[in-house]
Amino acid sequence: MNAEAAKATPGMAASERINRSRLVLNVVLVGILCYASNEIGFAHKIPPHNISVLWPMSAILFSALLVSSPRHWWAYVLAGYSSSIIRDAQAGFPAQAFLFIGAGLLEIVGAALVIRRYLSPIKMFDSLRELALYLAIAVIGAPMVSAFVSAFAGGTANYWFFWRVWYLSEALACLMLAPAILSWITLARHKSGTIPMARRVEGTVLVTILAGVCFFAFTGNVQTGHGIPALVYLPLPFLLWAAVRFGPLGVNTALLIVACLSISGAVHARGPFVYSDETKGVLSLQLFLATLSLPLMLLAAVIQESRARAQVLRESEARFRSMADTSPVMIWMSGPDQKSEYFNKRWLDFTGRTLEQELGEGWIEGVHPDDRPRCLRIYHESLDARKPFEMEYRLRHKDGHYRWVFGCGVPRFMPDGSFVGYIGSCLDIAERKDAELQLQEQRAEVTHLSRVAVVGELSGAVAHELNQPLTAILSNAQAAQRRLAQEPIDLDEIRDILTDIVNEDKRAGEIIRRLRALLKKGEMQLQPLSLNELANDTVMLAHGDFVSRGIVVSTKLAADLPVVRGDRVQLQQVLLNLISNACDAMRDNAPSERRLEIATHSNGSGTVEVAVTDEGPGIAPEARDRLFEPFVTTKKEGLGLGLTICRTIVKAHGGRLWSDNNPVRGAAFYVSLPTLVRDPI
């Protein structure tokens, strides 16, 4: 650690020496410039009152303070006022000298402190807001306050005259000279090496032409005491050129050229600002420079601010496009006219089409014809309502096949709330769709196998149910044979026997039909159903099982029950499974305690319910929370899939399946389904 410190110390010391040397050079340079500007200022005072149009030393020292550290200000102030102090010492330090120095320090240091506190000296002229604050602080506020102090040097009789002279001279220096100095310092620090040659040439041409025009307009033999001639406005087009093309730097530099040449012409009694009354001429020149500078500086700030916003917008758009093109998601954008105006690279790679082909309404060509009407309806309705949307549709892939995609979009709004269009994305979900299809097929297969298993459990009861009509058919047929062998033949009795045979045959056929329907394999077929009829059919199908187990079944079917929309086979499977579980739950009950109830009712909220209630031991507390999970069962021989399949079927119908223990004994399973219509059947 000590070795590293020893190595770092020489480097740090060298850096400090360089910084100290640079500071000394800067202070000396500021002192020289302030001395030269004092000499120039004294040389350009206009007699007989020795009025200075603008005092350059204040602007130079003010600019130096703004771009330097406050802890070094004392050195810059001492260097800047050294020439003035020497001059005043030679004159014996007149009383007014202290007023001028005090007023100058009050103005320069005060304005620098406030501006560094609230503004950025580097970007002060690039923003309309910051420029306005600069003008209020450095051009209006600080010179006005210092003028109240310095004006006492002229005595109370001429106080307001000297106040005006001081204020306008200091204000013009901060208005025309300080901005140019600060703009060039900013350029030297940040952009001097990045200016293209074409811009340098254009700037040189502009400065040359402007200097020539100003020399002609302000230092010629034009003299008047009756007003300012139109010739003074000759530089205006070139000033606009500087403001539009070069921003604050250009306009500040151009205004300084105008100020220097117009003041030089007035001092040498040449140009349009030479009056018989010199005081009036100086005032006219000062007002001319102020009214010329303010709008042009504001114009340059507005242009620069607009350029900055445009640059930020371009950079933001470039970042968005770069991010969008590298995104794994297909991204699109549309305008307020609902026509698409952007698609990212991922979209174009997916469709194999060009951006021009997709723009506007071209993307619609890639949507599957069967999905196109629904897709357009959702798209246009959502955009008209300015609301987000989601949809699934098939989009043509570059290989010519259609693939399922999931699309969504959200509206875009400007900060002022104006609608500017939509931005959305699409995700290729073909693999997910295939997986869903396979899962659906597997679920259907498991559901079918579950029905087969239930029927297998009821096979003994079903055989018993079929045996009864078949035995009756056989007995009736044998009886008919015997009657036919007798003479005379009793036709009425034969007709009754045949009628019994037909009825028993229908009874057997109905049992077989219900079994075939339950064993049938196929997709869900939704149709209007009555839960009462479904419950009766299920009870009849399980009748043999009830008889063999000694279970007493009662039904409480509500009258005027609304119909539901569902698949008859699947819902009958649900009821049959619940009934079978209820019968298994009462296996250990005494024969007199094996009672099962099936009830239906309407709850009046757009749903109907069917309840299967038993008198078994109920649901154990440890099994209640996991009762409908796969492979969870309370039966030794069970697989634990029956209730899971039942809940899946009920959910597919938009309903709900749940269970609860009865207050006294047993458990109840409830199936709730949405109604199709309100009209009862």
Side-chain angles (χ1 to χ4, degrees), residues 143-163:
M144 186 177 293
V145 173
S146 67
F148 282 111
V149 177
S150 64
F152 284 107
T156 57
N158 296 318
Y159 179 83
W160 290 109
F161 172 77
F162 284 101
W163 182 92

Side-chain angles (χ1 to χ4, degrees), residues 59 66 130 240 290 379 584:
L66 284 181
E130 295 203 2
L240 292 173
Y379 178 77
D584 291 339

